[in-house]
Every structure is written in structure tokens, then in C-alpha cells.
Amino acid sequence: MLRRSLLTSAIAASLLTTFSLPAFATQVYETDLVIIGGGLSGLAAAQSAVDQGAKPIVLEKEAALGGGGNFPEGSLGVGTRYQKEHNINTTVDQVLTAALQYHHYRADPHVLRVLIEESGKTIDWVMDKGVKCCGIRTMYPKDESLMTWHLFKGGAAGIIQRFAKEVRAKGGTILTETPAKKLIVENGKVVGVEAVDGEGEKVIVKAKKVIIATGGFESNKEMLAKYVNDSSALGMFEPVWYRGPVTDGKNGDGRTGDGIQMAQLVGAGVKGMHTIAGNAPYLADLPPINQFMGADELKQGRCALAQPWLWVDQHGKRFFNESRGAVFVDVYNAMTSAGGVMYNIIDQQKYDQLVNKGALLPFNAIVLAGVPLKALPKTFEIGQQRGWAFKADTIDDLAAQIGVPASNLKETMNKVNEYAKAGKDPEFGRLPEHLATFNMEKGPYYALKGIRAFFLTLGGVTVNPKFQALNPQGDVIDNLYVVGQDIGGLYDSSYDLRCEGSASSFAMTSGRLAADNALADVKAGK
């Protein structure tokens, strides 16, 4: 049931008889289910609710829907129809074991199992709504991959649009530019939400159940400084940059931890607040999101940055197996250990190879391997102007430009030449097909500077397998559910790329199941 009323102050009304002042109004709604946040998890919850005949209310802080949920290319699914049709037999136990091992078993196995078990149903669900799967991709060699990352035609942005359209068509209410301010609690139970609309008027939503889906705290500098130490640890040459959407000309959006903080104020516990979804390397160019979805010279520059010929740290020494340059979480972790910055060294032969034949390693599904990087000359043109691309006639000059000891850089390049001639890398195990010699006598030489970025925070509110919020003692906070990136306890120290596409999958699946569980309790009178 949905009911709306408008309460106007009698005092304000009387003032209107003599002064032309606006009335101070409060909009009041009543509903079974209110959802705070109109991103991927929140709209998945709303979609599941309207599928069951409910009429949820969604409160979205921003003018546009989707938030970070507009950017995933695909999602994890296990046991999907698509996998069965293509003889991919990955099991829930395989994926769960891989996740728990990756996180050193410092993750909630019960919640993870539910999310993984239900992930296939989620993929089938969105495909039943007309979303097209255009294949399964992986960042890993096929013998290492779990083959779970289902790519969507149009990406997750297309899912956002479909959900929003159908929610509205089936009687749901979506209020944009209406940020939630606090949870309403009566007799120890959450019974609604207080918000403010775009005109500054108070909005009260009385609800039997509340779902928090505000997307984490990526754009809250104070919370990042408090909880995430990857950026500010001693020895870091560069901080972690936020690869988020641009809102009102700024690098950032509405994901400022509102839902987590509201939940904490009513007694919720939190876990894993230090954990972020690191992604590296990225060019040191603002905003980093333009390398993900901007001009070709930036996307191709990001692809060139990760090619597997020679990466050095601030000291001019190798620190990583460059053959794994497409595994962005591994790169992020290795760069964190190496001081947070890297330089990819390229000679003329390798530069020409990239321009004419394409990359050896892909950049996600954005720039594929073997596609000529025709925009690379422009990449270097703008990069030299902005301070992250370098070109020199000699190795000594290149070393001076990037600020590393020339003797170290030469020694490193000579070692790589020896490894290439021998066909074996005894330091880091780079693949033989990625070992190539450098011309040590004749330039020009090129370098691209790489920094670390992150695209999600991964810590949040502690929940049970029904996605009910818990206090620090493990007790349920009545009527409150938490989904998507506001959930804590699913990751240890970094994003789990072994389970490719997990963040967006967990967002949709937790939203779908939280709505199911909440409405089941409503029907049962709980």
C-alpha cells in the first residue's frame, strides 16, 4: 500500500495572509518497502518488489539514477543458462572456495554462499527482461579462469534503464534529488526514513521495511582518510586516485557513506571498512574515469600503459610479472608494495608495434588485444603536456625525465635483454612470448607513468544471509536490510578478481533477495 499526504504548518498558512512567504510542507508517504539509493542494488530491489506486486519507494540522492552501477561491463554468474549452453561447468563450490581462499577465509562464508548460489538466477532474471549477454570474458589465462564474467550488451547501464522503466510502469515510485537524512526508529524498530527533496521540503516515508543501497563511501574524503590506509601509508609516492564518475564537473558522485552512517546511528556494526576495489595501472590524468569511457587517446593510452615489456618503480627496478598486467587487482597490490607508482618503458620498435599491430594484453573489454592503437601518438602528445608521458633520445634523458636513477634503469633493461635472449625470466616469471629486447644504443625511448586507482569501497554494514543489518553483537536490527556496496565482511584486503564480476553481481543479487526476504516478512506479519 502506498499513501501520500501533505502536512502544512498552520502558522505558515496564516502568515501567507499578510506576507508572501512559502508554506513549509512535509510530504508523507506510507509503503511496505522503501529503498534508499537508486543504483544497481537499489533498483534490483525495487524491480524484485514490483515483480511481486508491491509498490516500493526509491529515494535517490542524485538527479540521475544508477550511480556507479552504470559502469560495470558485466557480472558474475554461476550455473546460468548461458554457461550451460556453452558447456561451462563452473560450480558454486569452486567459486566459493576460490573466494574464501583469496580472502584468507576472512570473509563471511554464509553470505558469500548465498550470493554465489543465487548469482546464476540473477543473470537469468535480467536476461529474461531483455538484457543480452554478449559472451563470457576473463582477465586470466583460460586454465586459471572460473569463467563467470557475463558481459552485457550496453553494460549495466542498460540494466539500470530497464529496471527504472519497469519499476515506474508497475506502480513503484522513484524520487530523485531526494537524499535520505536519517532512519526513523520507534520502540527500537526501524519504521521509515526522513529525507529532503530538491526544494528543501521534508519527506517522510513510513515503511514496514527499509533497504539501504547507497553504494559505499567512495566520495567521502573524511571516511576514506579514517578507514583506508592504502593512500596515506608512509613510503607512498602517489596516493590512490578515485576512478569515479564526474558529477557537476567534479571527480566524484553521491556515494558518500550516507547509508552506512545512518545504519551505524541505529546500532549497526561494520566490517572491512579498510577494503577498496583497487584498479591499476591508470595514467595520472584527471578524471581517471575518462580512461574507462572517454576519448580513444585515453583508453588506448591506458591499454598501452599495461603492456608487458618493462615496468619499473621509482627506483628504476622491476617489481612485478608484467605478463599479469591485465589482472588489475594484482597490479594494484603490487604497486602498493612498490610505493604506488610505476613507469612502463617502451622503445621505438614496441611503440610502432602498438600503433600498427595492437596490444598484447587487453584493457578489460574496452580495448582488445590485437587492435591497432592508432590514437597513441595523440596519447603521447597530450601526456607530455600533462606530465605523465615522456619521450627522450637517450636512456639517460628518459631516466632524468621520470626521476629514476639512470644506472638502475640501464641495468634493469640489460637484464630484460638477457632474459629475452634466454627465453626465460628468472625474476618474476614473465611469459616467454612477452620477453623482448630493447635497443640500448638508439632512441627514441618512451615512458608512461602509472598510478593506482579504485572504483569501489568494499566495507560496510554487517549482515546475515537474509541481508538484515546486524549490531556488533550479531543481533538483527528489526526491519533494516543492507545491500550492494554498503555490505561489509565480503572481502578481506582487496577486490577478488578471481570471481570476476562479483561486485555488480552481489549488488543485484543482494538487492533482489533483500526485497524478497523483506516482503515475505511483511506478508507473514513480521
Side-chain angles (χ1 to χ4, degrees):
M1 179 184 72
L2 171 65
R3 183 160 64 91
R4 174 184 174 183
S5 60
L6 200 62
L7 305 177
T8 306
S9 165
I11 296 174
S14 66
L15 287 173
L16 285 175
T17 61
T18 53
F19 303 101
S20 297
L21 294 176
F24 295 96
T26 297
Q27 303 172 51
V28 179
Y29 296 83
E30 291 187 26
T31 182
D32 287 340
L33 179 65
V34 61
I35 301 159
I36 306 173
L40 195 56
S41 60
L43 289 177
Q47 178 68 69
S48 183
V50 298
D51 284 352
Q52 300 174 59
K55 298 186 186 303
I57 295 174
V58 178
L59 302 174
E60 169 53 42
K61 181 180 186 179
E62 301 295 318
L65 296 171
N70 284 308
F71 299 103
E73 300 152 89
S75 294
L76 173 142
V78 182
T80 65
R81 290 195 301 264
Y82 187 92
Q83 286 170 321
K84 292 170 184 175
E85 290 165 2
H86 292 80
N87 296 315
I88 297 171
N89 300 310
T90 303
T91 68
V92 168
D93 284 343
Q94 282 178 295
V95 177
L96 178 61
T97 297
L100 291 173
Q101 288 177 343
Y102 185 90
H103 296 301
H104 312 292
Y105 294 88
R106 298 179 71 174
D108 189 317
H110 307 294
V111 178
L112 278 174
R113 178 172 284 280
V114 170
L115 290 168
I116 294 167
E117 280 182 340
E118 293 286 334
S119 64
K121 294 178 185 176
T122 297
I123 299 294
D124 292 346
W125 178 56
V126 298
M127 290 179 68
D128 287 341
K129 294 187 178 298
V131 174
K132 303 296 183 185
C133 177
C134 50
I136 290 180
R137 291 260 175 83
T138 180
M139 299 290 182
Y140 289 91
K142 288 291 179 69
D143 61 341
E144 292 184 42
S145 176
L146 293 167
M147 300 299 288
T148 60
W149 190 28
H150 296 65
L151 297 188
F152 305 125
K153 185 177 181 181
I159 297 175
I160 294 286
Q161 293 168 8
R162 287 176 186 273
F163 282 169
K165 182 178 180 180
E166 192 167 339
V167 167
R168 289 180 171 124
K170 290 185 174 181
T173 299
I174 300 176
L175 302 176
T176 56
E177 297 183 278
T178 307
K181 295 300 182 180
K182 67 178 182 180
L183 300 172
I184 301 170
V185 178
E186 293 179 1
N187 300 318
K189 295 184 178 183
V190 175
V191 295
V193 180
E194 181 180 314
V196 177
D197 70 10
E199 302 300 319
E201 293 184 352
K202 185 183 291 186
V203 177
I204 299 293
V205 183
K206 299 178 181 180
K208 295 175 182 176
K209 304 293 177 183
V210 177
I211 295 177
I212 289 176
T214 60
F217 58 96
E218 294 85 349
S219 294
N220 187 318
K221 292 181 179 179
E222 290 75 21
M223 289 182 73
L224 290 171
K226 178 179 180 180
Y227 292 113
V228 179
N229 60 15
D230 273 2
S231 189
S232 57
L234 292 175
M236 289 297 152
F237 293 97
E238 287 281 352
V240 181
W241 295 29
Y242 177 36
R243 193 210 73 187
V246 175
T247 305
D248 296 330
K250 299 178 181 178
N251 181 35
D253 58 10
R255 291 177 288 172
T256 52
D258 303 346
I260 296 171
Q261 292 175 321
M262 281 185 274
Q264 286 180 292
L265 286 174
V266 299
V270 294
K271 284 185 178 180
M273 295 292 283
H274 62 287
T275 313
I276 58 177
N279 192 331
Y282 269 78
L283 300 169
D285 193 83
L286 281 171
I289 194 64
N290 286 348
Q291 297 167 58
F292 191 81
M293 56 184 299
D296 283 348
E297 57 266 23
L298 291 174
K299 291 187 289 190
Q300 292 183 17
R302 163 61 178 81
C303 182
L305 177 65
Q307 294 312 297
W309 290 308
L310 177 58
W311 300 9
V312 298
D313 61 15
Q314 196 66 44
H315 305 291
K317 298 184 177 182
R318 292 177 69 203
F319 62 94
F320 184 65
N321 177 356
E322 296 95 337
S323 288
R324 300 185 72 82
V327 185
F328 60 77
V329 172
D330 289 358
V331 176
Y332 174 89
N333 290 333
M335 285 183 64
T336 299
S337 295
V341 67
M342 58 82 78
Y343 297 91
N344 193 330
I345 309 300
I346 304 169
D347 63 12
Q348 189 64 49
Q349 184 274 328
K350 296 171 183 60
Y351 178 95
D352 291 341
Q353 180 177 336
L354 290 172
V355 172
N356 298 317
K357 296 182 179 180
L360 298 179
L361 298 178
F363 169 32
N364 290 14
I366 298 168
V367 181
L368 301 180
V371 176
L373 305 187
K374 294 299 184 182
L376 199 59
K378 190 170 183 181
T379 301
F380 273 87
E381 178 185 339
I382 65 172
Q384 286 177 276
Q385 295 170 0
R386 298 177 185 176
W388 45 259
F390 309 88
K391 181 179 179 181
D393 291 329
T394 67
I395 297 173
D396 289 273
D397 187 17
L398 187 71
Q401 288 189 40
I402 65 177
V404 307
S407 58
N408 287 359
L409 182 58
K410 289 178 180 178
E411 180 183 358
T412 300
M413 294 173 73
N414 280 321
K415 281 185 179 180
V416 168
N417 282 353
E418 293 173 9
Y419 303 159
K421 292 172 183 175
K424 185 177 181 179
D425 172 12
E427 280 189 288
F428 293 98
R430 193 197 306 177
L431 294 175
E433 58 266 34
H434 294 160
L435 291 169
T437 59
F438 285 83
N439 188 329
M440 301 296 291
E441 305 300 328
K442 183 178 180 182
Y445 302 95
Y446 303 84
L448 290 170
K449 179 182 178 180
I451 51 88
R452 299 166 300 155
F454 77 102
F455 58 96
L456 294 171
T457 52
L458 299 174
V461 177
T462 309
V463 300
N464 64 16
K466 288 187 174 183
F467 305 99
Q468 295 169 297
L470 305 177
N471 66 20
Q473 292 73 41
D475 302 316
V476 168
I477 296 174
D478 286 338
N479 303 330
L480 184 62
Y481 297 76
V482 179
V483 298
Q485 301 316 128
D486 288 331
I487 296 175
L490 302 182
Y491 301 87
D492 177 18
S493 60
S494 63
Y495 184 65
D496 178 12
L497 199 57
R498 283 282 291 142
C499 303
E500 294 168 286
S502 63
S504 59
S505 174
F506 292 176
M508 287 192 289
T509 299
S510 61
R512 176 175 68 84
L513 294 177
D516 290 352
N517 294 328
L519 292 173
D521 279 355
V522 169
K523 291 175 183 176
K526 297 180 181 178

